């Protein structure tokens, strides 16, 4: 009887073995299940790290007291030497050769505890002794018509770079030629015409000293080791009630225009050949 049962069950096992290849083939034809969509909401780590690094270096620059000389190449044909002084009490001064009157006058911009000042320095376009004019309170911005824009990377733009709410995109960048330090390309993500700073490349030493800035206005590069800063900055000259110097070249006065016209006429007459009537 047991032998009969074993004989009766054997065909069932054989049939199952016969169906196995077909089942395996059917399984092989089924498409692989699609991977589950990622649910990660983590931000791009490289961009986030660059923004954090730049904010930390800009914060160190805000706390840095130093005196340094920078070379400014603005495509005008000759480099200028910019002197930056950042004092221990938070006051600052930036001397800008050719910063006014269409590049013919040197100026110094500074903040003290008493206010924001522009000082005219002796130069080709302004041979008088140095004197200063108060432009506003220490926290005021330099008026647009008086603004050479060279001072911003050392002053108010540092506040923008440390503000994580500012509409900026930051990524690592190569240093401009002749520069060193950690450099970052900074762009604005806002469509506003009043961008919080100029887009470009910003570079810093580990201690927060700005080593280079490249924007559409030119390239500033640290010209040598930075020295210690003073306890507070001193203005370049006495404060007067005079008028500040504009960035643009002044309009010629009627007297100077008439004089130039007379000189041109005299030169033209002198060059006319004898006996020839002028038209």
């Amino acid at each position: 009887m047991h032998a009969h049962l074993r004989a009766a069950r054997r065909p069932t096992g054989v049939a199952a073995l016969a169906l196995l290849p077909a089942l395996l083939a059917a399984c092989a034809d089924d498409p692989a299940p699609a991977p589950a969509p990622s649910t990660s909401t983590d931000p791009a780590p490289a961009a986030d790290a660059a923004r954090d690094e730049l904010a930390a270096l800009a914060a160190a620059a805000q706390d840095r007291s130093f005196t340094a000389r920078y070379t400014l190449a603005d495509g005008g044909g000759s480099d200028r030497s910019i002197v930056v002084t950042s004092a221990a009490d938070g006051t600052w001064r930036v001397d800008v050769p050719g910063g006014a009157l269409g590049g013919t006058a040197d100026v110094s911009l500074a903040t003290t505890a008493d206010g924001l000042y522009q000082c005219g320095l002796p130069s080709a376009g302004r041979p008088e002794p140095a004197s200063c004019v108060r432009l506003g309170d220490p926290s005021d911005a330099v008026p647009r018509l008086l603004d050479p824009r060279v001072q911003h990377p050392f002053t108010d733009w540092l506040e923008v770079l440390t503000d994580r709410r500012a509409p900026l995109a930051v990524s690592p960048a190569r240093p401009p030629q002749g520069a060193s330090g950690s450099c970052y390309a900074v762009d604005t993500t806002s469509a506003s015409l009043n961008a919080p700073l100029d887009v470009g490349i910003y570079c810093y030493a580990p201690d927060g000293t700005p080593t280079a800035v490249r924007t559409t206005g030119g390239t500033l590069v640290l010209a040598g080791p930075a020295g210690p800063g003073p306890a507070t900055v001193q203005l370049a000259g006495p404060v007067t009630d005079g008028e500040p110097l504009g960035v643009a070249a002044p309009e010629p006065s009627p007297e100077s225009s008439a004089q130039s016209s007379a000189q041109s006429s005299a030169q033209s007459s002198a060059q006319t050949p004898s006996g020839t009537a002028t038209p």
Side-chain angles (χ1 to χ4, degrees):
M1 183 175 179
H2 294 294
H4 178 71
L5 290 175
R6 286 197 297 270
R9 291 171 181 167
R10 185 175 299 137
T12 303
V14 172
L17 291 174
L19 291 174
L20 184 58
L23 293 173
L24 292 174
C27 292
D29 292 338
D30 290 340
S38 174
T39 58
S40 173
T41 58
D42 293 339
D48 234 28
R51 183 71 183 270
D52 290 341
E53 292 169 5
L54 178 57
L57 289 170
Q62 288 180 309
D63 296 333
R64 182 93 166 85
S65 175
F66 68 95
T67 301
R69 188 177 299 273
Y70 292 81
T71 299
L72 172 61
D74 57 6
S78 60
D79 296 346
R80 291 182 281 166
S81 183
I82 310 297
V83 178
V84 178
T85 304
S86 177
D89 64 352
T91 58
W92 56 266
R93 171 177 161 178
V94 179
D95 295 351
V96 188
L101 302 183
T104 63
D106 302 345
V107 293
S108 174
L109 295 169
T111 60
T112 69
D114 298 324
L116 169 68
Y117 295 88
Q118 182 208 66
C119 301
L121 306 177
S123 50
R126 186 191 176 281
E128 301 95 323
S131 62
C132 303
V133 178
R134 190 178 189 274
L135 304 180
D137 294 332
S139 59
D140 287 344
V142 177
R144 182 176 60 84
L145 297 179
L146 310 177
D147 189 359
R149 301 189 66 79
V150 179
Q151 78 283 358
H152 291 293
F154 309 97
T155 58
D156 54 308
W157 287 354
L158 293 175
E159 298 177 8
V160 180
L161 295 175
T162 58
D163 184 2
R164 293 304 302 268
R165 298 168 298 176
L168 302 178
V170 179
S171 59
R174 293 181 178 179
Q177 185 175 2
S180 61
S182 299
C183 299
Y184 303 86
V186 179
D187 200 354
T188 178
T189 59
S190 171
S192 172
L193 295 177
N194 296 320
L197 49 64
D198 285 355
V199 301
I201 294 177
Y202 293 77
C203 304
Y204 296 88
D207 62 2
T209 302
T211 57
V213 178
R214 187 172 72 189
T215 67
T216 55
T219 302
L220 273 166
V221 177
L222 184 65
T232 190
V233 299
Q234 301 294 326
L235 296 178
V239 179
T240 70
D241 294 329
E243 292 295 322
L245 304 177
V247 173
E251 295 290 335
S253 65
E255 293 80 5
S256 62
S257 298
Q259 184 178 6
S260 297
S261 178
Q263 289 175 347
S264 297
S265 298
Q267 290 175 354
S268 177
S269 300
Q271 294 171 357
T272 301
S274 177
T276 304
T278 57

